[in-house]
PDB file of all heavy atoms in Angstrom:
ATOM      1  N   SER A  67      -9.605  31.148  -2.789  1.00 95.00           N
ATOM      2  CA  SER A  67      -9.846  30.772  -1.329  1.00 95.00           C
ATOM      3  C   SER A  67      -9.583  29.293  -1.174  1.00 95.00           C
ATOM      4  O   SER A  67      -9.653  28.538  -2.052  1.00 95.00           O
ATOM      5  CB  SER A  67     -11.223  31.244  -0.905  1.00 95.00           C
ATOM      6  OG  SER A  67     -12.264  30.547  -1.645  1.00 95.00           O
ATOM      7  N   GLY A  68      -9.463  28.984   0.085  1.00 96.00           N
ATOM      8  CA  GLY A  68      -9.239  27.550   0.433  1.00 96.00           C
ATOM      9  C   GLY A  68      -7.866  27.033   0.432  1.00 96.00           C
ATOM     10  O   GLY A  68      -6.913  27.843   0.202  1.00 96.00           O
ATOM     11  N   ASP A  69      -7.662  25.660   0.462  1.00 94.00           N
ATOM     12  CA  ASP A  69      -6.312  25.130   0.586  1.00 94.00           C
ATOM     13  C   ASP A  69      -6.189  23.832  -0.151  1.00 94.00           C
ATOM     14  O   ASP A  69      -7.254  22.969  -0.162  1.00 94.00           O
ATOM     15  CB  ASP A  69      -6.133  24.857   2.133  1.00 94.00           C
ATOM     16  CG  ASP A  69      -4.695  24.412   2.399  1.00 94.00           C
ATOM     17  OD1 ASP A  69      -3.787  25.029   1.890  1.00 94.00           O
ATOM     18  OD2 ASP A  69      -4.599  23.393   3.113  1.00 94.00           O
ATOM     19  N   ILE A  70      -5.125  23.633  -0.897  1.00 95.00           N
ATOM     20  CA  ILE A  70      -4.892  22.434  -1.551  1.00 95.00           C
ATOM     21  C   ILE A  70      -3.538  21.886  -1.065  1.00 95.00           C
ATOM     22  O   ILE A  70      -2.526  22.593  -1.110  1.00 95.00           O
ATOM     23  CB  ILE A  70      -4.849  22.599  -3.155  1.00 95.00           C
ATOM     24  CG1 ILE A  70      -6.253  23.184  -3.592  1.00 95.00           C
ATOM     25  CG2 ILE A  70      -4.433  21.328  -3.799  1.00 95.00           C
ATOM     26  CD1 ILE A  70      -6.266  23.438  -5.086  1.00 95.00           C
ATOM     27  N   ARG A  71      -3.587  20.612  -0.756  1.00 94.00           N
ATOM     28  CA  ARG A  71      -2.267  19.979  -0.233  1.00 94.00           C
ATOM     29  C   ARG A  71      -2.005  18.617  -0.983  1.00 94.00           C
ATOM     30  O   ARG A  71      -2.913  17.976  -1.317  1.00 94.00           O
ATOM     31  CB  ARG A  71      -2.444  19.737   1.285  1.00 94.00           C
ATOM     32  CG  ARG A  71      -2.470  21.047   2.134  1.00 94.00           C
ATOM     33  CD  ARG A  71      -2.589  20.917   3.509  1.00 94.00           C
ATOM     34  NE  ARG A  71      -2.568  22.034   4.312  1.00 94.00           N
ATOM     35  CZ  ARG A  71      -1.380  22.900   4.606  1.00 94.00           C
ATOM     36  NH1 ARG A  71      -0.299  22.209   4.406  1.00 94.00           N
ATOM     37  NH2 ARG A  71      -1.530  23.939   5.242  1.00 94.00           N
ATOM     38  N   VAL A  72      -0.702  18.442  -1.154  1.00 93.00           N
ATOM     39  CA  VAL A  72      -0.290  17.103  -1.715  1.00 93.00           C
ATOM     40  C   VAL A  72       0.635  16.393  -0.674  1.00 93.00           C
ATOM     41  O   VAL A  72       1.600  17.144  -0.247  1.00 93.00           O
ATOM     42  CB  VAL A  72       0.508  17.340  -3.119  1.00 93.00           C
ATOM     43  CG1 VAL A  72       1.162  15.998  -3.438  1.00 93.00           C
ATOM     44  CG2 VAL A  72      -0.502  17.736  -4.042  1.00 93.00           C
ATOM     45  N   ASP A  73       0.302  15.359  -0.133  1.00 91.00           N
ATOM     46  CA  ASP A  73       1.066  14.715   0.939  1.00 91.00           C
ATOM     47  C   ASP A  73       1.146  15.559   2.161  1.00 91.00           C
ATOM     48  O   ASP A  73       2.148  15.655   2.819  1.00 91.00           O
ATOM     49  CB  ASP A  73       2.489  14.227   0.393  1.00 91.00           C
ATOM     50  CG  ASP A  73       2.334  13.150  -0.474  1.00 91.00           C
ATOM     51  OD1 ASP A  73       1.298  12.367  -0.546  1.00 91.00           O
ATOM     52  OD2 ASP A  73       3.389  12.877  -1.261  1.00 91.00           O
ATOM     53  N   GLY A  74       0.124  16.417   2.421  1.00 90.00           N
ATOM     54  CA  GLY A  74       0.088  17.286   3.510  1.00 90.00           C
ATOM     55  C   GLY A  74       0.734  18.560   3.307  1.00 90.00           C
ATOM     56  O   GLY A  74       0.690  19.471   4.215  1.00 90.00           O
ATOM     57  N   ASP A  75       1.467  18.807   2.241  1.00 89.00           N
ATOM     58  CA  ASP A  75       2.185  20.140   1.956  1.00 89.00           C
ATOM     59  C   ASP A  75       1.400  20.971   1.084  1.00 89.00           C
ATOM     60  O   ASP A  75       0.794  20.447   0.044  1.00 89.00           O
ATOM     61  CB  ASP A  75       3.521  19.871   1.370  1.00 89.00           C
ATOM     62  CG  ASP A  75       4.450  19.034   2.295  1.00 89.00           C
ATOM     63  OD1 ASP A  75       4.376  19.255   3.424  1.00 89.00           O
ATOM     64  OD2 ASP A  75       5.231  18.163   1.745  1.00 89.00           O
ATOM     65  N   ALA A  76       1.305  22.204   1.389  1.00 90.00           N
ATOM     66  CA  ALA A  76       0.496  23.161   0.602  1.00 90.00           C
ATOM     67  C   ALA A  76       1.139  23.267  -0.804  1.00 90.00           C
ATOM     68  O   ALA A  76       2.276  23.323  -0.941  1.00 90.00           O
ATOM     69  CB  ALA A  76       0.487  24.508   1.297  1.00 90.00           C
ATOM     70  N   VAL A  77       0.200  23.241  -1.794  1.00 89.00           N
ATOM     71  CA  VAL A  77       0.662  23.403  -3.157  1.00 89.00           C
ATOM     72  C   VAL A  77       0.885  24.818  -3.473  1.00 89.00           C
ATOM     73  O   VAL A  77      -0.030  25.710  -3.269  1.00 89.00           O
ATOM     74  CB  VAL A  77      -0.434  22.878  -4.167  1.00 89.00           C
ATOM     75  CG1 VAL A  77      -0.097  23.207  -5.663  1.00 89.00           C
ATOM     76  CG2 VAL A  77      -0.528  21.333  -4.023  1.00 89.00           C
ATOM     77  N   SER A  78       2.094  25.224  -3.968  1.00 82.00           N
ATOM     78  CA  SER A  78       2.519  26.644  -4.259  1.00 82.00           C
ATOM     79  C   SER A  78       3.457  26.528  -5.455  1.00 82.00           C
ATOM     80  O   SER A  78       4.515  26.201  -5.398  1.00 82.00           O
ATOM     81  CB  SER A  78       3.127  27.206  -3.074  1.00 82.00           C
ATOM     82  OG  SER A  78       3.624  28.589  -3.419  1.00 82.00           O
ATOM     83  N   GLY A  79       2.776  26.877  -6.664  1.00 77.00           N
ATOM     84  CA  GLY A  79       3.637  26.731  -7.932  1.00 77.00           C
ATOM     85  C   GLY A  79       3.470  25.258  -8.440  1.00 77.00           C
ATOM     86  O   GLY A  79       2.851  24.404  -7.789  1.00 77.00           O
ATOM     87  N   VAL A  80       4.185  25.050  -9.568  1.00 76.00           N
ATOM     88  CA  VAL A  80       4.041  23.728 -10.155  1.00 76.00           C
ATOM     89  C   VAL A  80       4.749  22.729  -9.151  1.00 76.00           C
ATOM     90  O   VAL A  80       5.802  22.881  -8.697  1.00 76.00           O
ATOM     91  CB  VAL A  80       4.875  23.734 -11.466  1.00 76.00           C
ATOM     92  CG1 VAL A  80       4.936  22.360 -12.076  1.00 76.00           C
ATOM     93  CG2 VAL A  80       4.285  24.715 -12.507  1.00 76.00           C
ATOM     94  N   HIS A  81       3.972  21.634  -8.933  1.00 73.00           N
ATOM     95  CA  HIS A  81       4.420  20.673  -7.996  1.00 73.00           C
ATOM     96  C   HIS A  81       5.250  19.527  -8.582  1.00 73.00           C
ATOM     97  O   HIS A  81       4.769  18.887  -9.469  1.00 73.00           O
ATOM     98  CB  HIS A  81       3.147  20.007  -7.338  1.00 73.00           C
ATOM     99  CG  HIS A  81       3.420  19.518  -5.900  1.00 73.00           C
ATOM    100  ND1 HIS A  81       4.175  18.347  -5.716  1.00 73.00           N
ATOM    101  CD2 HIS A  81       3.132  19.953  -4.651  1.00 73.00           C
ATOM    102  CE1 HIS A  81       4.286  18.115  -4.388  1.00 73.00           C
ATOM    103  NE2 HIS A  81       3.651  19.008  -3.808  1.00 73.00           N
ATOM    104  N   PRO A  82       6.367  19.244  -7.996  1.00 76.00           N
ATOM    105  CA  PRO A  82       7.331  18.297  -8.676  1.00 76.00           C
ATOM    106  C   PRO A  82       6.755  16.844  -8.555  1.00 76.00           C
ATOM    107  O   PRO A  82       7.296  15.943  -9.263  1.00 76.00           O
ATOM    108  CB  PRO A  82       8.629  18.458  -7.844  1.00 76.00           C
ATOM    109  CG  PRO A  82       8.180  19.057  -6.584  1.00 76.00           C
ATOM    110  CD  PRO A  82       7.016  19.816  -6.935  1.00 76.00           C
ATOM    111  N   LYS A  83       5.860  16.568  -7.602  1.00 81.00           N
ATOM    112  CA  LYS A  83       5.328  15.249  -7.499  1.00 81.00           C
ATOM    113  C   LYS A  83       4.188  14.869  -8.443  1.00 81.00           C
ATOM    114  O   LYS A  83       3.600  13.801  -8.420  1.00 81.00           O
ATOM    115  CB  LYS A  83       4.877  15.050  -6.073  1.00 81.00           C
ATOM    116  CG  LYS A  83       5.899  15.033  -5.037  1.00 81.00           C
ATOM    117  CD  LYS A  83       5.383  14.829  -3.668  1.00 81.00           C
ATOM    118  CE  LYS A  83       6.481  14.836  -2.499  1.00 81.00           C
ATOM    119  NZ  LYS A  83       6.053  14.623  -1.218  1.00 81.00           N
ATOM    120  N   ILE A  84       3.841  15.911  -9.233  1.00 89.00           N
ATOM    121  CA  ILE A  84       2.646  15.682 -10.131  1.00 89.00           C
ATOM    122  C   ILE A  84       2.947  15.628 -11.552  1.00 89.00           C
ATOM    123  O   ILE A  84       3.801  16.542 -12.113  1.00 89.00           O
ATOM    124  CB  ILE A  84       1.653  16.879  -9.857  1.00 89.00           C
ATOM    125  CG1 ILE A  84       1.061  16.708  -8.504  1.00 89.00           C
ATOM    126  CG2 ILE A  84       0.558  16.967 -10.892  1.00 89.00           C
ATOM    127  CD1 ILE A  84       0.133  17.850  -8.019  1.00 89.00           C
ATOM    128  N   GLY A  85       2.504  14.713 -12.410  1.00 88.00           N
ATOM    129  CA  GLY A  85       2.433  14.718 -13.813  1.00 88.00           C
ATOM    130  C   GLY A  85       1.183  15.055 -14.322  1.00 88.00           C
ATOM    131  O   GLY A  85       0.067  14.852 -13.687  1.00 88.00           O
ATOM    132  N   TYR A  86       1.148  15.656 -15.563  1.00 89.00           N
ATOM    133  CA  TYR A  86      -0.146  16.145 -16.137  1.00 89.00           C
ATOM    134  C   TYR A  86      -0.288  15.730 -17.512  1.00 89.00           C
ATOM    135  O   TYR A  86       0.647  15.957 -18.379  1.00 89.00           O
ATOM    136  CB  TYR A  86      -0.139  17.764 -16.076  1.00 89.00           C
ATOM    137  CG  TYR A  86      -1.446  18.459 -16.020  1.00 89.00           C
ATOM    138  CD1 TYR A  86      -1.671  19.424 -15.287  1.00 89.00           C
ATOM    139  CD2 TYR A  86      -2.389  17.933 -16.855  1.00 89.00           C
ATOM    140  CE1 TYR A  86      -2.930  20.099 -15.159  1.00 89.00           C
ATOM    141  CE2 TYR A  86      -3.733  18.615 -16.862  1.00 89.00           C
ATOM    142  CZ  TYR A  86      -3.919  19.748 -15.996  1.00 89.00           C
ATOM    143  OH  TYR A  86      -5.077  20.295 -15.997  1.00 89.00           O
ATOM    144  N   MET A  87      -1.350  15.183 -17.869  1.00 88.00           N
ATOM    145  CA  MET A  87      -1.654  14.830 -19.249  1.00 88.00           C
ATOM    146  C   MET A  87      -2.834  15.526 -19.823  1.00 88.00           C
ATOM    147  O   MET A  87      -3.935  15.477 -19.268  1.00 88.00           O
ATOM    148  CB  MET A  87      -1.933  13.232 -19.368  1.00 88.00           C
ATOM    149  CG  MET A  87      -2.130  12.792 -20.769  1.00 88.00           C
ATOM    150  SD  MET A  87      -2.292  11.066 -20.914  1.00 88.00           S
ATOM    151  CE  MET A  87      -2.628  10.815 -22.595  1.00 88.00           C
ATOM    152  N   PHE A  88      -2.561  16.484 -20.718  1.00 82.00           N
ATOM    153  CA  PHE A  88      -3.668  17.413 -21.171  1.00 82.00           C
ATOM    154  C   PHE A  88      -4.520  16.751 -22.196  1.00 82.00           C
ATOM    155  O   PHE A  88      -4.173  15.742 -22.821  1.00 82.00           O
ATOM    156  CB  PHE A  88      -3.030  18.672 -21.773  1.00 82.00           C
ATOM    157  CG  PHE A  88      -2.213  19.457 -20.797  1.00 82.00           C
ATOM    158  CD1 PHE A  88      -0.827  19.326 -20.659  1.00 82.00           C
ATOM    159  CD2 PHE A  88      -2.814  20.427 -20.041  1.00 82.00           C
ATOM    160  CE1 PHE A  88      -0.143  20.019 -19.710  1.00 82.00           C
ATOM    161  CE2 PHE A  88      -2.045  21.209 -19.127  1.00 82.00           C
ATOM    162  CZ  PHE A  88      -0.760  20.893 -18.925  1.00 82.00           C
TER     163      PHE A  88
END
Side-chain angles (χ1 to χ4, degrees):
S67 60
D69 187 48
I70 299 176
R71 294 181 176 274
V72 169
D73 290 340
D75 298 324
V77 172
S78 178
V80 177
H81 203 289
K83 295 181 179 180
I84 291 176
Y86 204 139
M87 186 173 173
F88 297 91

